[in-house]
Amino acid sequence: AQRVTQPEKLLSVFKGAPVELKCNYSYSGSPELFWYVQYSRQRLQLLLRHISRESIKGFTADLNKGETSFHLKKPFAQEEDSAMYYCALRETSGSRLTFGEGTQLTVNP
Amino acid sequence: EAQVTQNPRYLITVTGKKLTVTCSQNMNHEYMSWYRQDPGLGLRQIYYSMNVEVTDKGDVPEGYKVSRKEKRNFPLILESPSPNQTSLYFCASRGRQTANYGYTFGSGTRLTVV
């Protein structure tokens, strides 16, 4: 069965510091991975998709199949990045999206 | 505006009183899904639907029912709510053609069962 693990429930950094939110997965097929973000009192929003290899709001994430990881990184954190971040895996058939437990990121001034 | 709409946003009910949380999307999406969000557990899928009249259980379906009679609507039904169903619920949808863009989520329904 597919599984997504985010080992850090809470992560606190200072403004301007680099940040890395860890995500590991287990899945027997070829994974499709996403990062979602939930700002305070708002709905979940898609942040990144691994297939697009894009940078959104300064965040990037690289799929490492050897380490089965999809860590989210940003070189210089901003206060507005404070939010809950969820890593998610979609199975090949496309219908089920499995989320990790989430990491609450706090960027301090 | 393309969106997923859930109602109500907040609901307090008593144990055993049947309730329905509605979900509607205006994007002609095939896939719809319900999640519950609990502290420390992240989002867990309750039920999902791949198209009209096609539904399947997610990871935590016990105590819930769904129906998909129309493409745009995917209501979540709690026949006999219990306090352990107190949670924040999200409905989400995506189209077959927009698979790579992930799901679009509703604003959430905060349910309290006393």
Side-chain angles (χ1 to χ4, degrees):
Chain A
Q2 61 201 59
R3 182 176 172 82
V4 178
T5 304
Q6 294 178 246
E8 302 140 329
K9 285 191 167 40
L10 301 170
L11 185 61
S12 183
V13 300
F14 286 104
K15 177 182 173 181
V19 63
E20 180 179 72
L21 290 85
K22 291 185 168 54
C23 172
N24 291 93
Y25 67 89
S26 62
Y27 181 56
S28 57
S30 184
E32 297 181 39
L33 287 150
F34 303 84
W35 275 99
Y36 282 82
V37 60
Q38 186 179 30
Y39 300 102
S40 180
R41 301 181 184 279
Q42 294 187 27
R43 69 184 73 195
L44 271 83
Q45 305 170 38
L46 180 64
L47 181 64
L48 283 178
R49 307 163 288 157
H50 90 270
I51 60 166
S52 61
R53 302 183 66 81
E54 58 203 339
S55 174
I56 302 292
K57 299 184 180 182
F59 284 98
T60 59
D62 290 319
L63 177 60
N64 186 323
K65 291 188 178 181
E67 296 182 0
T68 59
S69 68
F70 187 55
H71 302 328
L72 183 68
K73 300 176 185 178
K74 185 169 182 176
F76 307 103
Q78 302 299 314
E79 289 180 67
E80 56 265 29
D81 295 328
S82 295
M84 178 71 87
Y85 291 81
Y86 289 98
C87 182
L89 181 152
R90 191 175 73 208
E91 61 183 27
T92 309
S93 67
S95 54
R96 293 191 61 173
L97 189 64
T98 299
F99 286 86
E101 303 91 339
T103 297
Q104 178 67 50
L105 173 66
T106 301
V107 181
N108 299 299
Chain B
E1 180 188 352
Q3 59 185 356
V4 177
T5 303
Q6 293 177 231
N7 279 296
R9 291 290 306 274
Y10 301 92
L11 178 60
I12 301 174
T13 190
V14 295
T15 299
K17 186 176 181 183
K18 180 179 178 180
L19 66 92
T20 299
V21 184
T22 63
C23 174
S24 179
Q25 50 91 5
N26 61 359
M27 297 166 280
N28 201 36
H29 283 171
E30 288 81 12
Y31 298 110
M32 296 187 76
S33 186
W34 275 103
Y35 291 85
R36 59 177 289 173
Q37 183 182 30
D38 301 288
L41 298 175
L43 282 91
R44 294 177 292 168
Q45 191 174 47
I46 303 170
Y47 268 95
Y48 63 95
S49 170
M50 296 174 71
N51 215 324
V52 176
E53 301 291 3
V54 181
T55 63
D56 207 348
K57 296 178 180 178
D59 298 314
V60 288
E62 295 78 20
Y64 304 94
K65 285 174 59 178
V66 293
S67 69
R68 189 90 183 273
K69 296 190 173 78
E70 307 164 279
K71 198 171 187 180
R72 62 183 291 126
N73 295 322
F74 190 45
L76 179 70
I77 303 155
L78 285 72
E79 294 273 2
S80 183
S82 61
N84 64 11
Q85 292 178 298
T86 292
S87 186
L88 179 58
Y89 292 87
F90 286 100
C91 180
S93 74
R94 74 164 179 86
R96 192 179 297 124
Q97 299 304 318
T98 57
N100 295 329
Y101 292 89
Y103 276 94
T104 298
F105 281 81
S107 299
T109 295
R110 186 166 293 281
L111 172 66
T112 302
V113 183
V114 298

